[in-house]
Amino acid sequence: MTSKRLTIIATPIGNLSDLSPGMVSAISKCELLLCESISAAQRLCQYAEIKTPRLVRYFSKNEKEVIRLLQKSSEVEIGLISDAGTPLISDPGYEVVRLFHKSGWKVNTVPGPSAVISALVLSGMPTDSFTFHGFLPPKSVARQKVLIKIAQQGLTWVAYESPRRILGLCEDVNHVFGALHEVCVIKEMTKVHETMFRGDVGSVIKMLQEANLKGEFVIVGKGSNEVGQWEKTAVMLRKEISIAKASSLTAEIYNISKSSVYRYLLGSEKS
């Protein structure tokens, strides 16, 4: 079987002027380019003034089909891009990388922009250790469960969110972490309408309620080396009273969701 080479190519987050010579060179060498969106890939090639290679759309639902295509194709130089930023970050792609490693084919990368790292360094939050969570669950109950686990880790955290759900996510952060939890929400990074909403989550919610919420969002939350005050209170109360009463009292004292406190205490007792 002919040896192939996969190049994972980062592309601009939103501003095409961030396209580097290395990115342009890598794409121009591709015989086949796996992409999230055909139209976005075509625009990128047109902007770079390079010949558009054979484009194959690659997303989670056609992953197996793409794997079979790559195994049978005659193309040697394969590229992988997403619509924006570094591929594989909250996007499919690792199965293709695994295929190349398993087949003994070469894999290399052209590094570049990443919304995760860009938001992290802009946020003013601690950067020595952090966790990334992609898109959190769309429904509030499931999202709060994840946020409780994030709170327990005590690290700076980063997540993506859509314009339809960013306000709901911040409201859940408010319920789980409390209104004073420090966050930084960035809209449309590197684009003309880039906007930063920074401060305690209670204030950020008010900012978002008055803002135009079109575009893509990244949220960064500040971690802590200690468990938050409401969690300490809940645990102390639980030692004396039932989990239901401890949850109810803590929620009333800190103006947070009773169900969030209950889930936190339940998780603490199981761990």
Side-chain angles (χ1 to χ4, degrees):
M1 186 178 293
T2 304
S3 179
K4 303 175 187 287
R5 177 164 56 189
L6 174 69
T7 305
I8 304 163
I9 308 166
T11 57
I13 297 172
N15 188 339
L16 288 179
S17 66
D18 291 335
L19 194 65
S20 72
M23 297 173 194
V24 174
S25 175
I27 294 172
S28 67
K29 293 175 183 176
C30 290
E31 300 168 77
L32 186 154
L33 185 61
L34 303 178
C35 55
E36 189 177 351
S37 162
I38 297 291
S39 58
Q42 289 173 332
R43 283 195 300 271
L44 190 66
C45 292
Q46 289 169 2
Y47 181 88
E49 298 181 341
I50 57 177
K51 182 181 178 181
T52 303
R54 178 189 176 195
L55 300 177
V56 173
R57 189 169 178 229
Y58 175 39
F59 55 104
S60 56
K61 291 184 179 179
N62 77 338
E63 206 159 37
K64 291 182 180 179
E65 179 184 334
V66 169
I67 294 293
R68 288 195 294 269
L69 182 150
L70 291 171
Q71 289 171 324
K72 296 178 181 179
S73 71
S74 59
E75 289 93 349
V76 173
E77 294 291 341
I78 316 295
L80 172 61
I81 63 172
S82 63
D83 280 353
T86 301
L88 282 82
I89 307 300
S90 264
D91 282 318
Y94 83 91
E95 290 289 1
V96 168
V97 177
R98 287 173 64 86
L99 168 69
F100 272 71
H101 285 308
K102 186 177 179 180
S103 302
W105 300 335
K106 295 180 180 179
V107 179
N108 64 313
T109 184
V110 177
S114 166
V116 179
I117 302 302
S118 298
L120 182 65
V121 299
L122 283 172
S123 70
M125 309 292 179
T127 59
D128 53 338
S129 296
F130 69 95
T131 57
F132 172 60
H133 302 274
F135 287 91
L136 272 62
K139 294 188 177 180
S140 181
V141 172
R143 191 161 56 214
Q144 286 187 29
K145 287 182 180 178
V146 175
L147 287 169
I148 288 170
K149 292 180 180 178
I150 292 172
Q152 292 169 341
Q153 292 174 319
L155 299 173
T156 299
W157 58 277
V158 187
Y160 292 157
E161 195 48 276
S162 71
R164 291 183 293 107
R165 295 198 295 262
I166 185 61
L167 188 55
L169 169 57
C170 287
E171 288 170 347
D172 285 338
V173 170
N174 183 31
H175 286 314
V176 172
F177 290 86
L180 297 181
H181 183 65
E182 188 178 345
V183 298
C184 179
V185 176
I186 308 174
K187 179 183 86 165
E188 294 288 84
M189 220 173 340
T190 77
K191 298 182 182 178
V192 174
H193 299 293
E194 178 181 306
T195 310
M196 182 183 293
F197 309 89
R198 194 179 184 285
D200 62 75
V201 70
S203 300
V204 169
I205 287 172
K206 293 177 182 177
M207 296 179 204
L208 291 172
Q209 287 171 337
E210 299 174 358
N212 180 345
L213 297 184
K214 292 182 179 179
E216 300 301 321
F217 289 81
V218 184
I219 181 171
V220 184
K222 186 177 181 181
S224 171
N225 291 328
E226 297 183 1
V227 177
Q229 189 60 48
W230 74 259
E231 291 100 324
K232 290 180 181 178
T233 302
V235 171
M236 288 172 59
L237 288 170
R238 176 66 184 104
K239 291 177 180 178
E240 305 296 330
I241 57 180
S242 71
I243 189 170
K245 287 182 179 179
S247 301
S248 181
L249 278 173
T250 304
E252 185 176 346
I253 293 168
Y254 291 96
N255 191 28
I256 57 177
S257 164
K258 176 182 174 181
S259 60
S260 297
V261 182
Y262 187 90
R263 284 195 295 271
Y264 173 77
L265 288 173
L266 199 61
S268 298
E269 293 182 1
K270 289 181 177 179
S271 59

